Amino acid sequence: MLSLDPLGPEWDCPLSSKDLDQEEEPGRGGSGLPPISCFPGSWRQDVGLDCKGSPEGAEARAWTVYYYSLLQSCLQQAGLPETQDRSQVPHTGCPGAEVTLCILGSPSTFLSVLLEGGVQSPGNMLLCLSPAWLTKVPAPGHLGEAALLVSKAVSFYPGGLTFLDDFVPPRRATYFLPGLGLGPGWGREAAELARNLTCPTGASAELARLLEDRLLMRRLLSQQGRVAVPATLAFTYKPPGLLQGGDASPGLRLVELSGKEGQETLVKEEVGAFLHSEALGDAVQVAVKLSGWRWRGRQALCLHPRVELGAVVDTVLALLEKLEEEESVLVEAMCPPARLPFPGGPSPSPEMAVRICAVVCRTQGDRPLLSKVVCGVGRGDRPLRHQNSLPRTLEVALAQCGLSEAAQVAAVRQRVKEAAEAVLAAVLALEAGLSAEQRGGRRACTDCLGVDFALTVSGRALTPVALELNSSLCLEACGTLEGLWAAPRLGLAAEEAAAAPLVETMLRRSARYLMEGKQLLLVGAGGVSKKFVWEAARDYGLKLHLVESDPNHFASQLVQTFIHFDVTEHRRDEENARLLAELVRARGLQLDGCFSYWDDCLVLTALLCQELGLPCSPPAAMCLAKQKSRTQLHLSRRHGPPWPAPSLHAVACCPLESEADVERAVHQVPLPGVMKLEFGAGAVGVRLVEDASQCHEHFSRIARDLQGEADHPGIGLGWGNAMLLMEFVEGTEHDVDLVVFGGRLLAAFVSDNGPTRLPGFTETAACMPTGLAPEQEAQLVQAAFRCCLGCGLLDGVFNVELKLTGAGPRLIEINPRMGGFYLRDWILELYGVDLLLAAAMVACGLRPALPTHPHARGHLVGIMCLVSQHLQALSSTASRETLQALHDQGLLRLNLLEEALVPGEYEEPYCSVACAGSSPAEARLRLLGLCQGLGIDRPNYPVAHFLSHFK
């Protein structure tokens, strides 16, 4: 078991005070009561801090009052309004159905996270100021685990608005972040509340003990070889299992002691060898300190010149007497501060040192992401500490020390990024090998990490050297820096908020938690392009039941229940919905939701949901969106208010069911025009027509070639082969993928398409995120949203195709389902948002847990490969095996859309090949070079032309 006692003994080593630099948490009291501090302010004191049913003792009550006053002081300094007390009217809520991000910790430490949470998930970011506001209750079906219930909290909203709320019944936490702070207070209670929860946990005492053990982390990082750490000699007494054995690391010497006494000879030999070793480089001083959980926050640091062997040995021997099991005495090189400006030039006087503080977060796919860097600047002959220097940006800190050349500053930032992300990668790899007990719970892991670096010179290069890891001090420093700019942090861009990736991770993990074990009926399995569904469902813990026409479909073996049912005859959808509902009831399925991502099955799914009483957009809305001419004609009559009305985005069109309709249409719709199938998908049969003869010719060809489902499965021919003629509008083409819940827009993702190969409209190329100006992007998003609302699509994940013309956005068509081809994969990769999971949540009547304004982590540019154009390359230089190997190496992103290399007149793309980059230009150039090398770029398929829109 961990010792959770408040931070160990006082320092009593007989050393001169001038040699001792002791770090202690500011305001730390020794009596168990909060610090006696005066918060200058005029906020109300008569607020309802008591929690019904959980009375607090005098000491606990004092801490609650202290933290409430601290919160008001932090809000006041940030220029934000005082917390409003709403506790007299408890919130009823929907226990267990809503996202609940709960933090138990100091408001000053977590303020940036709380404010960011209020922006990204209004009302769902909760701060508990007392352990009494939380309760653990046994979780049925989870032996040894508990659910965490929130009875009282401060809720955060956009604009920095906060409310003191009671919840009756209590809200169930979907994510818990405990503040395992130093000193007295409720560190023990926080650690116990965090242990063995069913909900995701962003920290635990068990993990904090590992992270803040300097020796363990230096051993881990030095073994990785990608992060520089100070040369260190460690004397350890009965080291923990994680430190035993293993390979020796350069610059790190571990000496295991059999006892704490009688070690004089060994210590003198080891210290002498260390002080004379090349590993210390140019260091002229060494620090001697204690390492271990008891000593965090009360770090006694004694500095000695490197040449004073006797003084170093005496200090080590004195500290050995204080050691307990699994603790160490460290002798480490004091990294000499870099002499800036670098290289060459005079050094400022006195010599300045930079301490770099980096916040790195775990993002989608367990990948580390540096979210912010702040620095402290001080004298080079004194150790720099947290909270004793004002935070500043890396650029300002380096400029203060004489380095302002942009390229060198950028190089330092890149090295810090690589080192910080490597640190978190090493920590995540370590945690992956720990048992649930060692982590403090099955769902406990590190989502955010602070890394402190010293900036020194190694091999004539400015190098960050990792000094220590912490769970919250760096995050607090970043929040302080953000608050320096202007009262509301809320005015800063999302990428400038250190807590933004952390809050996104909180939401992502909450969504997984809410959906685990949900029973979902899926109508239509789809083809090879939807293989990701089954892997994702297993990963999320979804229980899928499948309705599918093909009795031999591979997915039939991957679901809980397989219902073989012909869903291709759509003229009988209403009858089929009733029959399917009877089958579901007969099998006793207890469903949480029902949905489909397959064009062919959307109307049937809506009708089935209606029969079963499950959430879905109305069948009438699905029918309206599914039939393209009805969509345009309906929206053209929607003139508002409110303004702007959906009619602004409609395009002139005319339905075609006979030759006579064609003759009438050419007089109603301006030519050139576009002819397409009313219920088609994948741009099959879509063609540019310039005059009446071409209209008649294309109508006759489609009527002859595409008569029923067997002629081209999966594109909607079960509805018939009726067509429409619509006006051709000039402009760039874009996809907008929307997440809508209860008629409210929760998220939108805009991508750009390259020029098509006229007269056909098969997609050629794409880029994400959009390269449009923010105003144009917003116009597209609002146009797509207005069109969906205009059709009655109030709940779901929708894909809307538009053109941006000189007169604004014009609608091509609405696909009332998740975007196809590569879109789900790209959005997940760039934004960390899974449209599949969002669609499943909506189907269960749950508001998707999404960041309000997700920020892309890069750029993707892709090209489509067609069998008709690339059969030779796809059979040789760009074979499926070759493309998959390049994908596995991270050189490209492959999305396979078809299984077989079968050419045909009415074809869909075979695959999408994309490259990533930090900018669209970088991604585009990589893709162009790749396509030239693989033989995808051909005279009849000029990739450079298709990518020309993305410059």
Side-chain angles (χ1 to χ4, degrees):
M1 289 292 291
L2 287 173
S3 169
L4 299 175
D5 296 330
L7 292 188
E10 296 294 332
W11 174 265
D12 58 7
C13 187
L15 297 172
S16 168
S17 59
K18 68 182 178 68
D19 295 324
L20 184 65
D21 180 80
Q22 187 170 342
E23 181 180 6
E24 189 170 335
E25 185 184 22
R28 181 181 180 274
S31 65
L33 292 172
I36 301 174
S37 301
C38 178
F39 297 111
S42 57
W43 49 83
R44 292 182 54 185
Q45 304 293 327
D46 57 335
V47 292
L49 296 178
D50 292 324
C51 187
K52 296 180 179 63
S54 299
E56 294 181 301
E59 182 179 314
R61 170 72 179 181
W63 278 102
T64 304
V65 172
Y66 167 78
Y67 281 125
Y68 182 81
S69 296
L70 178 58
L71 171 62
Q72 302 314 306
S73 180
C74 291
L75 294 173
Q76 180 188 65
Q77 291 184 43
L80 299 173
E82 177 183 346
T83 299
Q84 298 180 41
D85 187 356
R86 300 191 302 196
S87 60
Q88 300 307 311
V89 183
H91 278 222
T92 53
C94 308
E98 65 254 285
V99 171
T100 302
L101 313 176
C102 178
I103 292 178
L104 174 65
S106 168
S108 61
T109 298
F110 293 106
L111 186 65
S112 62
V113 185
L114 296 161
L115 293 175
E116 181 65 26
V119 172
Q120 292 200 34
S121 191
N124 297 324
M125 176 61 82
L126 308 180
L127 170 66
C128 288
L129 299 173
S130 167
W133 295 7
L134 293 158
T135 309
K136 285 176 79 170
V137 296
H142 297 276
L143 185 64
E145 293 184 337
L148 186 66
L149 303 182
V150 186
S151 299
K152 190 182 196 74
V154 178
S155 310
F156 284 73
Y157 290 82
L161 297 178
T162 56
F163 299 90
L164 183 62
D165 287 321
D166 277 13
F167 303 104
V168 179
R171 288 179 67 160
R172 184 184 69 174
T174 61
Y175 184 97
F176 183 51
L177 184 60
L180 303 165
L182 313 177
W186 26 251
R188 179 190 294 274
E189 291 88 344
E192 184 52 44
L193 283 168
R195 186 174 292 116
N196 294 326
L197 293 178
T198 55
C199 73
T201 310
S204 70
E206 287 80 356
L207 292 179
R209 180 171 186 173
L210 298 178
L211 293 177
E212 300 193 19
D213 186 323
R214 280 183 171 88
L215 178 56
L216 176 60
M217 286 300 108
R218 286 185 187 173
R219 170 79 168 271
L220 176 67
L221 299 181
S222 61
Q223 287 177 337
Q224 297 291 320
R226 296 168 56 195
V227 183
V229 296
T232 304
L233 170 65
F235 296 95
T236 180
Y237 177 58
K238 296 185 179 179
L242 290 173
L243 275 172
Q244 293 174 4
D247 298 330
S249 305
L252 180 61
R253 169 74 173 156
L254 184 61
V255 180
E256 295 186 22
L257 302 176
S258 57
K260 294 183 289 184
E261 299 176 356
Q263 304 294 329
E264 291 83 357
T265 302
L266 176 61
V267 167
K268 185 172 183 179
E269 290 176 355
E270 291 287 351
V271 170
F274 178 72
L275 295 179
H276 289 89
S277 70
E278 295 181 359
L280 271 69
D282 297 331
V284 296
Q285 286 183 307
V286 293
V288 185
K289 61 179 68 170
L290 286 161
S291 175
W293 175 259
R294 288 191 309 144
W295 301 101
R296 66 178 194 136
R298 194 177 280 218
Q299 271 305 328
L301 174 67
C302 189
L303 296 178
H304 293 287
R306 178 176 173 179
V307 295
E308 294 184 359
L309 171 62
V312 176
V313 170
D314 289 344
T315 305
V316 171
L317 292 173
L319 293 183
L320 285 180
E321 297 177 5
K322 296 182 168 296
L323 285 190
E324 293 185 1
E325 291 186 11
E326 301 189 358
E327 295 180 346
S328 308
V329 176
L330 306 184
V331 183
E332 67 179 44
M334 287 295 292
C335 299
R339 296 179 179 272
L340 301 176
F342 178 84
S347 176
S349 183
E351 190 174 89
M352 305 296 285
V354 177
R355 184 177 177 117
I356 297 173
C357 173
V359 170
V360 58
C361 300
R362 187 170 69 96
T363 60
Q364 172 66 31
D366 291 337
R367 287 175 293 188
L369 175 72
L370 177 72
S371 66
K372 195 133 189 142
V373 175
V374 300
C375 298
V377 176
R379 293 173 59 103
D381 56 352
R382 298 176 183 173
L384 280 170
R385 298 294 190 192
H386 276 284
Q387 300 174 324
N388 71 357
S389 65
L390 287 175
R392 60 211 79 190
T393 65
L394 180 66
E395 289 75 12
V396 168
L398 293 179
Q400 281 186 270
C401 297
L403 182 67
S404 56
E405 204 280 315
Q408 289 183 322
V409 173
V412 172
R413 178 174 289 277
Q414 181 60 29
R415 291 183 193 120
V416 170
K417 174 180 171 64
E418 291 172 356
E421 292 178 354
V423 168
L424 182 55
V427 168
L428 295 181
L430 173 68
E431 291 181 2
L434 300 177
S435 67
E437 183 180 4
Q438 288 173 312
R439 292 198 307 273
R442 177 170 56 94
R443 297 184 186 272
C445 64
T446 300
D447 287 330
C448 183
L449 190 64
V451 188
D452 285 322
F453 295 99
L455 189 62
T456 188
V457 177
S458 176
R460 294 195 55 77
L462 286 171
T463 302
V465 178
L467 300 177
E468 60 185 349
L469 313 186
N470 64 77
S471 56
S472 58
L473 290 175
C474 287
L475 192 62
E476 184 173 12
C478 290
T480 302
L481 178 67
E482 291 168 7
L484 293 176
W485 261 289
R489 177 219 72 65
L490 322 153
L492 297 175
E495 61 267 31
E496 294 177 338
L502 173 58
V503 174
E504 290 178 15
T505 296
M506 290 176 164
L507 290 170
R508 189 178 304 113
R509 295 186 68 192
S510 291
R512 297 174 70 105
Y513 174 59
L514 285 170
M515 290 301 292
E516 185 174 332
K518 294 295 186 197
Q519 306 278 341
L520 284 148
L521 184 65
L522 190 56
V523 184
V528 64
S529 65
K530 298 297 187 289
K531 277 192 171 181
F532 65 83
V533 170
W534 319 108
E535 181 180 343
R538 183 173 61 252
D539 184 37
Y540 292 135
L542 303 178
K543 308 297 184 184
L544 294 187
H545 309 274
L546 175 63
V547 177
E548 168 58 38
S549 304
D550 179 6
N552 299 313
H553 197 286
F554 70 88
S556 65
Q557 306 300 313
L558 303 175
V559 292
Q560 304 290 311
T561 307
F562 179 72
I563 301 176
H564 175 224
F565 193 95
D566 184 4
V567 297
T568 61
E569 184 47 70
H570 300 296
R571 296 179 182 88
R572 301 178 55 186
D573 273 350
E574 290 189 12
E575 178 186 350
N576 287 340
R578 289 191 292 272
L579 292 173
L580 275 172
E582 292 175 8
L583 285 174
V584 168
R585 295 187 189 103
R587 292 183 178 231
L589 300 183
Q590 300 297 314
L591 299 175
D592 297 294
C594 171
F595 76 116
S596 179
Y597 47 73
W598 197 239
D599 270 296
D600 239 14
C601 302
L602 299 174
V603 174
L604 173 62
T605 301
L607 290 165
L608 180 56
C609 287
Q610 184 175 263
E611 289 286 336
L612 296 172
L614 295 172
C616 187
S617 285
M622 283 292 190
C623 289
L624 190 60
K626 182 61 185 167
Q627 189 170 355
K628 297 177 177 63
S629 65
R630 283 189 62 197
T631 305
Q632 298 284 1
L633 293 171
H634 175 80
L635 291 176
S636 68
R637 295 189 288 268
R638 305 277 293 185
H639 297 293
W643 184 87
S647 58
L648 287 176
H649 311 301
V651 176
C653 73
C654 185
L656 310 173
E657 293 189 2
S658 66
E659 288 283 354
D661 293 334
V662 177
E663 192 62 38
R664 185 180 70 255
V666 297
H667 294 94
Q668 295 180 359
V669 177
L671 296 178
V674 180
M675 289 186 71
K676 59 172 72 174
L677 288 164
E678 277 278 23
F679 303 97
V684 174
V686 184
R687 188 173 182 85
L688 179 70
V689 287
E690 299 187 7
D691 53 38
S693 63
Q694 289 186 3
C695 291
H696 283 286
E697 179 184 352
H698 190 58
F699 183 85
S700 299
R701 182 185 300 114
I702 295 298
R704 179 185 69 246
D705 296 345
L706 301 176
Q707 297 182 8
E709 181 71 15
D711 295 323
H712 201 119
I715 64 163
L717 292 173
W719 296 88
N721 64 350
M723 301 188 73
L724 74 148
L725 174 66
M726 63 186 296
E727 180 183 2
F728 176 74
V729 292
E730 295 283 356
T732 54
E733 189 171 333
H734 306 269
D735 278 68
V736 182
D737 288 273
L738 306 175
V739 181
V740 181
F741 185 76
R744 296 185 180 276
L745 179 63
L746 302 188
F749 306 92
V750 180
S751 54
D752 305 336
N753 290 338
T756 58
R757 299 169 62 242
L758 297 177
F761 285 86
T762 303
E763 185 176 324
T764 58
C767 176
M768 184 182 279
T770 177
L772 295 173
E775 180 181 340
Q776 294 174 308
E777 179 182 12
Q779 287 179 351
L780 283 171
V781 169
Q782 287 303 312
F785 182 43
R786 280 193 289 267
C787 289
C788 287
L789 290 185
C791 290
L793 298 171
L794 305 180
D795 293 280
V797 176
F798 309 124
N799 171 259
V800 184
E801 299 176 27
L802 302 112
K803 272 195 171 181
L804 185 60
T805 72
R810 293 294 183 267
L811 177 67
I812 299 175
E813 63 188 47
I814 298 174
N815 300 304
R817 42 76 180 158
M818 174 178 69
F821 290 166
Y822 47 82
L823 285 168
R824 179 262 183 181
D825 178 56
W826 282 20
I827 291 169
L828 182 59
E829 171 69 15
L830 292 175
Y831 297 94
V833 171
D834 191 345
L835 294 185
L836 175 66
L837 186 60
M841 293 190 76
V842 174
C844 293
L846 298 177
R847 180 187 175 101
L850 301 174
T852 306
H853 299 290
H855 174 64
R857 310 295 184 203
H859 298 262
L860 283 168
V861 175
I863 195 82
M864 292 292 196
C865 295
L866 308 176
V867 175
S868 63
Q869 302 299 314
H870 302 112
L871 181 58
Q872 182 177 352
L874 293 171
S875 304
S876 55
T877 52
S879 68
R880 180 172 172 177
E881 293 75 20
T882 299
L883 295 177
Q884 186 63 52
L886 292 171
H887 174 95
D888 294 341
Q889 296 170 42
L891 299 176
L892 61 79
R893 194 157 198 92
L894 171 67
N895 290 103
L896 195 65
L897 310 176
E898 293 290 337
E899 193 81 61
L901 293 170
V902 180
E905 182 178 357
Y906 304 102
E907 68 176 341
E908 297 177 80
Y910 172 76
C911 69
S912 165
V913 174
C915 285
S918 59
S919 68
E922 180 183 343
R924 181 173 54 83
L925 289 174
R926 285 182 179 173
L927 180 61
L928 183 57
L930 192 83
C931 290
Q932 290 170 346
L934 293 173
I936 296 171
D937 183 33
R938 303 175 62 248
N940 291 337
Y941 203 83
V943 172
H945 168 66
F946 298 139
L947 304 182
S948 60
H949 284 186
F950 313 141
K951 289 184 179 179

